Amino acid sequence: MAVAADDQVLEIGCGRGAAVSLVASRLTTGRIVAIDRAATMVRLATERNLNHINAGRAEIRCAGFEAADLPARRFTKIFAVNVSLFWLGDATQPIDRMRSLLAPGGQLYVFGERPTAAHATANLTATKLLLEARGFTTARSSAIRGQGQVLTCVSGTPIE
Ligand SMILES: C[S@@+](CC[C@H](N)C(=O)[O-])C[C@H]1O[C@@H](n2cnc3c(N)ncnc32)[C@H](O)[C@@H]1O
């Protein structure tokens, strides 16, 4: 994601907050808002990132994305890792909302971990089609992780 020091980042479905730590440690004037609908995950993510929260670089909230109170056209980067809303059910409305939350020039990053290369390819294709159908141009990449896991990423830039 090439996080810049002044990025305004939104993470959807932050889980235990591992990515919050990685992103927040790159920020100076920027900020990450991370949401998760599970209170237990928010507690764990908050404990893990107390230093970043106290420094004003991170905010972690218990909220479902669909109803979360978030400012329009604010975020330079929005991302999610292994969050099923992209692949289960109709993702049209959530993706349109993500688009409306992106600042001009902002980008959406959809990450997923899959057990095999074949699963990864299917995931990349499905995610790419999903974003393109909602008015994004896309780029995709993947990397082998430990124990044969493949990390996939489709990034999307809104077509103006
Ligand atoms: C499989 S976990 C991944 C957690 C983390 N991103 C990671 O990779 O370790 C998915 C997380 O997304 C959250 N989640 C799923 N749908 C969500 C939604 N619509 N709004 C907010 N959080 C959501 C779940 O509560 C869960 O913590």
Side-chain angles (χ1 to χ4, degrees):
M1 281 169 50
V3 174
D6 61 349
D7 266 332
Q8 296 291 329
V9 183
L10 172 66
E11 180 178 10
I12 300 164
C14 65
R16 295 159 190 259
V20 174
S21 304
L22 293 170
V23 170
S25 63
R26 293 181 172 223
L27 300 173
T28 55
T29 58
R31 195 154 173 272
I32 177 168
V33 176
I35 63 169
D36 199 293
R37 64 186 176 190
T40 309
M41 291 299 148
V42 170
R43 182 174 56 76
L44 293 171
T46 299
E47 286 171 8
R48 182 179 199 141
N49 288 286
L50 268 183
N51 58 333
H52 295 305
I53 293 168
N54 290 337
R57 286 187 295 270
E59 176 187 345
I60 300 176
R61 278 196 234 160
C62 188
F65 174 68
E66 297 74 2
D69 183 14
L70 296 163
R73 296 169 67 84
R74 164 68 60 86
F75 298 99
T76 54
K77 289 174 179 146
I78 299 178
F79 76 100
V81 186
N82 286 337
V83 177
S84 57
L85 72 78
F86 294 95
W87 306 297
L88 295 180
D90 182 1
T92 302
Q93 283 191 7
I95 291 173
D96 287 352
R97 179 153 200 238
M98 290 169 208
R99 194 186 155 120
S100 76
L101 297 175
L102 281 172
Q107 272 196 293
L108 171 64
Y109 300 83
V110 182
F111 293 92
E113 282 177 307
R114 293 296 180 270
T116 67
H119 286 94
T121 301
N123 174 261
L124 285 166
T125 302
T127 310
K128 181 178 185 300
L129 289 173
L130 193 58
L131 296 194
E132 288 176 356
R134 304 316 306 161
F136 288 82
T137 56
T138 61
R140 58 192 201 169
S141 61
S142 61
I144 304 291
R145 304 253 294 163
Q147 299 173 339
Q149 286 278 65
V150 184
L151 177 68
T152 65
C153 178
V154 177
S155 61
T157 306
I159 299 166
E160 296 303 325

